[in-house]
Amino acid sequence: MTELNAAAEADRALKAKHRTMWSLGDYPAVATQVVSGLGPELVRACGVRRGDRVLDVAAGSGNAAIPAALTGADVIASDLTPVLMEAGKALAAQQGAELAWEEADAEALPFEDGEFDVVMSCVGVMFAPNHQACADELVRVCRDGGTVGLVNWTPQGFIGRMFTVMKPYAPPPPPGAQPPPLWGDEEHVAALLGDRVTDIDARRQTLRVDRFGTPEEFRDFFKAAYGPTIAVYKNIADDPGKVAALDDELAALAREHMAGGGGMEWEYLLFTAHRRVS
């Protein structure tokens, strides 16, 4: 097998692993019950309006794509995981939203250069392993003067810290993969996009989460519903000591963020920019 073929085969295997991970549990429940406010916020920040051609990259079950479609925009929701898109189609039908769904790899989008007025991703593209490849694709498919908009969890915020807690219990990342929460660092994102964009607006904001009454309720919900957390627990399933330790650490993290009240504030980066006119 040539080096090029070996790399392609490794990439296919990695993407299959990611597809399986996001098929675990019930991510649509996370999207609708916990983080539903993020999508509409991103749509507003991108200024999506009727008639716009919009691409939602790593759209999952449509947290941002469906609100965009409800504005009257012409929307394509793309994702690597068919089971999430099937859930999204059902949610869109319930809300009367009309949009297209297309299976696609965020690192190699099957769309033409400059095809969209708005290219966005809501806590989605951050989980692809090759950050630069994703950034290149986001810019490539956006028209000159169009908008690139992103919502991603910050490294310092609750979800970023959750990934730090889980890291020692997770299998080693593939060679070259970068941590997802780096997409929540404004300097990292600006460097990825480079001088191909202008008018950068990067704001750290918080999502109020009132879904969980106790730290243990948060932990158990994410153990059952959130693919990355499920995958980490599967990795240590044969070691009860590690399972108990991770249980304790996740509950402690949630308890820290619930201090002074039942709700939590989860920090994210809202990042928008315009594709430079060439």
Side-chain angles (χ1 to χ4, degrees), residues 35-59:
V35 301
S36 61
L38 294 179
E41 177 66 16
L42 178 58
V43 170
R44 285 191 294 270
C46 290
V48 175
R49 59 186 185 276
R50 179 175 297 276
D52 279 349
R53 178 84 165 151
V54 177
L55 176 65
D56 186 6
V57 180

Side-chain angles (χ1 to χ4, degrees), residues 175-186:
Q178 294 176 281
L182 275 180
W183 277 94
D185 180 279
E186 49 266 50

Side-chain angles (χ1 to χ4, degrees), residues 224-242:
Y226 192 57
T229 305
I230 297 169
V232 170
Y233 272 97
K234 285 171 69 73
N235 186 58
I236 59 173
D238 294 334
D239 190 329
K242 287 185 177 181

Side-chain angles (χ1 to χ4, degrees), residues 71-101:
T71 70
D74 179 11
V75 179
I76 295 178
S78 68
D79 199 89
L80 192 65
T81 308
V83 68
L84 294 184
M85 291 191 291
E86 289 303 313
K89 291 175 184 178
L91 290 168
Q94 292 172 13
Q95 298 180 47
E98 296 185 6
L99 65 157
W101 300 80

